[in-house]
Amino acid sequence: MDEARLKERVAAFLSENDPAGDRLEFLRARFDAGLAWVWFPEGLGGLGLSRDMQAVVERELAGTPQIDGGVQGIGLGMAAPTILAFGTEEQKRRFLRPLWTGEEIWCQLFSEPGAGSDLATLATRAVRDGDEWVVDGQKVWTSGAHHARWAILVTRTDPGVPKHRGLTYFVCDMQAPGVDVRPLRQITGEAEFNEVFLTGVRLADDLRLGAVGDGWRVAQTTLMNERVAIGGGGGARGGGMVGGVLRSWREHPELRTHDLHQRLLSLWVEAEVTRLSGARLREQLAAGQPGPEGSGMKLSFAKLNQALTGLEMEFLRDLGYDDYAFRRSETVDFYGRGPGYRYLRAKGNSIEGGTSEILRNIISERVLGLPSEPRIDKDVPWKDLPR
């Protein structure tokens, strides 16, 4: 199907489905028409086309009901590609449609208090009991868990083998008995993050993604897609975080200085390089699965966001943020909030989705081919590791 025929298909869809009608019904119909993710297989929200054809659909459907990326980001960017790659046909048909329409929100149960940067040391246990698994442990930094119906979960099922083996990946029912979600208050006063305690949580074996003991390989698909989702997104020239700084610059000419102007120009160039590198990465994605290059994009995203928001605060000479009251976050909006919020929230960009330090290791070893760091625990059974 070429671009012209795809446009005809979108036009036919719009002639049969009124965008001004019920929002949810419109989104369901769009999924069923294969216009959700056009590169997904037919019957699963797609048409089996190349990934770059998605931009055609988005242009043609601009102004119609849209999905909420702030709330649905983990489901769309991380859970969906993992389910597509490792899920059974029954799992794909059960989860993908309500995930895309937003009827079911997803979160990510990966990091733990003792397993953040070194995720493979995680200790959350899953013990098989007949056709079920009993899960016990604690997860942390879980974005949107207070909204979530489902979670992607990595557990340890065999402590007698090295840490990267013996892991198993599940879909976790966030409404199951034993799931306890507690808020984590951030520097902004909001609690978009959570810690999640799992106590005797029973998960049916048909909620497992991938083979028993193959959880690390499944998790790598999630993590690579996560970094692309965070750092490799689209955007127009002058958009994103640099757009907020440019608005402040235009609105306050009296605050401009030569030094600030030179720094803004330098960051503009950096923002353009990052944007164009993201476009190249998305073209690579059209040809296959994401690789370690997404780590570079996420690293650049974090560094640039922090530099831009810091420059804006220095330019305005006022944080302009005075509401630190504790509250639950309904969505995540990096660009639609004030400069004070952007400055504070950007501090988390170098931690979430992989710390900048770990991403530099990935880039050096897997992109540049440099020697890896010495790892003395690589072949040691997890149960024998010092803790």
Side-chain angles (χ1 to χ4, degrees):
M1 183 181 297
D2 59 17
E3 182 173 336
R5 291 185 62 193
L6 181 57
K7 287 182 177 179
E8 291 175 1
R9 190 179 185 108
V10 175
F13 166 75
L14 288 173
S15 69
E16 299 173 0
N17 298 274
D18 183 7
D22 182 82
R23 175 183 179 276
L24 181 56
E25 289 303 318
F26 182 86
L27 292 175
R28 287 172 175 169
R30 177 175 167 180
F31 182 94
D32 294 340
L35 300 174
W37 302 287
V38 297
W39 69 96
F40 274 40
E42 293 189 45
L44 298 176
L47 297 170
L49 304 180
S50 65
R51 192 176 185 128
D52 57 352
M53 296 293 275
Q54 185 69 29
V56 178
V57 173
E58 299 303 333
R59 286 195 301 268
E60 296 299 304
L61 292 178
T64 66
Q66 300 293 312
I67 54 180
D68 185 348
V71 175
Q72 297 175 244
I74 291 174
L76 297 169
M78 300 162 216
T82 307
I83 293 169
L84 181 66
F86 291 96
T88 63
E89 289 304 311
E90 182 179 354
Q91 288 171 334
K92 294 172 188 177
R93 295 188 183 280
R94 164 60 186 88
F95 292 121
L96 290 177
R97 187 176 189 251
L99 180 157
W100 190 83
T101 62
E103 295 171 79
E104 294 178 344
I105 304 302
W106 288 66
C107 65
Q108 180 183 13
L109 299 176
F110 275 36
S111 295
E112 299 180 6
S117 296
D118 189 2
L119 178 63
T121 60
L122 65 88
T124 294
R125 286 296 310 277
V127 178
R128 190 152 198 169
D129 182 15
D131 292 332
E132 293 184 319
W133 296 81
V134 182
V135 181
D136 291 277
Q138 179 186 358
K139 298 292 184 175
V140 74
W141 310 127
T142 307
S143 301
H146 52 298
H147 297 303
R149 175 64 181 84
W150 299 99
I152 44 179
L153 165 69
V154 185
T155 68
R156 186 164 302 282
T157 49
D158 186 354
V161 297
K163 62 183 182 179
H164 289 90
R165 303 200 292 273
L167 299 176
T168 303
Y169 196 117
F170 294 93
V171 171
C172 179
D173 183 353
M174 293 297 289
Q175 296 179 358
V179 178
D180 182 15
V181 178
R182 304 179 190 178
L184 285 175
R185 185 175 180 179
Q186 297 155 239
I187 194 173
T188 60
E190 296 183 351
E192 70 188 60
F193 293 122
N194 304 269
E195 53 184 345
V196 179
F197 293 83
L198 305 163
T199 307
V201 177
R202 288 187 168 270
L203 301 177
D205 188 57
D206 61 11
L207 291 176
R208 174 170 45 85
L209 280 180
V212 175
D214 200 28
W216 184 250
R217 186 166 69 97
V218 183
Q220 287 301 295
T221 295
T222 303
L223 293 171
M224 288 188 292
N225 278 284
E226 177 183 33
R227 288 154 193 168
V228 172
I230 293 174
R237 188 168 185 258
M241 201 66 81
V242 74
V245 182
L246 292 174
R247 282 194 300 273
S248 295
W249 183 265
R250 295 182 184 113
E251 291 169 0
H252 298 281
E254 74 282 1
L255 299 179
R256 299 174 188 170
T257 68
H258 175 73
D259 176 63
L260 289 172
H261 189 211
Q262 294 303 306
R263 287 166 58 190
L264 177 59
L265 290 174
S266 177
L267 289 173
W268 165 267
V269 171
E270 206 170 319
E272 274 297 283
V273 170
T274 300
R275 183 181 70 84
L276 294 172
S277 297
R280 182 175 62 182
L281 177 61
R282 291 190 299 278
E283 290 176 357
Q284 292 173 339
L285 287 177
Q289 290 294 319
E293 296 82 6
S295 297
M297 289 303 306
K298 195 274 173 179
L299 178 65
S300 178
F301 167 86
K303 179 182 176 184
L304 181 61
N305 274 5
Q306 291 173 355
L308 284 166
T309 56
L311 175 65
E312 186 174 23
M313 285 297 94
E314 188 174 345
F315 173 64
L316 294 174
R317 305 169 198 175
D318 179 16
L319 184 61
Y321 189 87
D322 57 4
D323 183 9
Y324 297 92
F326 172 77
R327 59 197 180 280
R328 274 301 202 182
S329 174
E330 293 303 316
T331 188
V332 180
D333 184 359
F334 290 103
Y335 309 125
R337 303 282 289 275
Y341 172 85
R342 290 195 292 271
Y343 173 74
L344 295 172
R345 183 58 183 82
K347 299 302 179 186
N349 291 165
S350 52
I351 302 173
E352 58 197 345
T355 66
S356 292
E357 292 77 12
I358 292 298
L359 296 183
R360 288 188 177 95
N361 279 351
I362 293 172
I363 294 165
S364 66
E365 295 175 13
R366 298 182 59 193
V367 178
L368 300 179
L370 299 178
S372 61
E373 289 186 333
R375 293 180 173 89
I376 61 173
D377 61 353
K378 187 174 181 181
D379 299 316
V380 179
W382 177 86
K383 63 182 178 60
D384 296 331
L385 295 177
R387 277 181 290 280

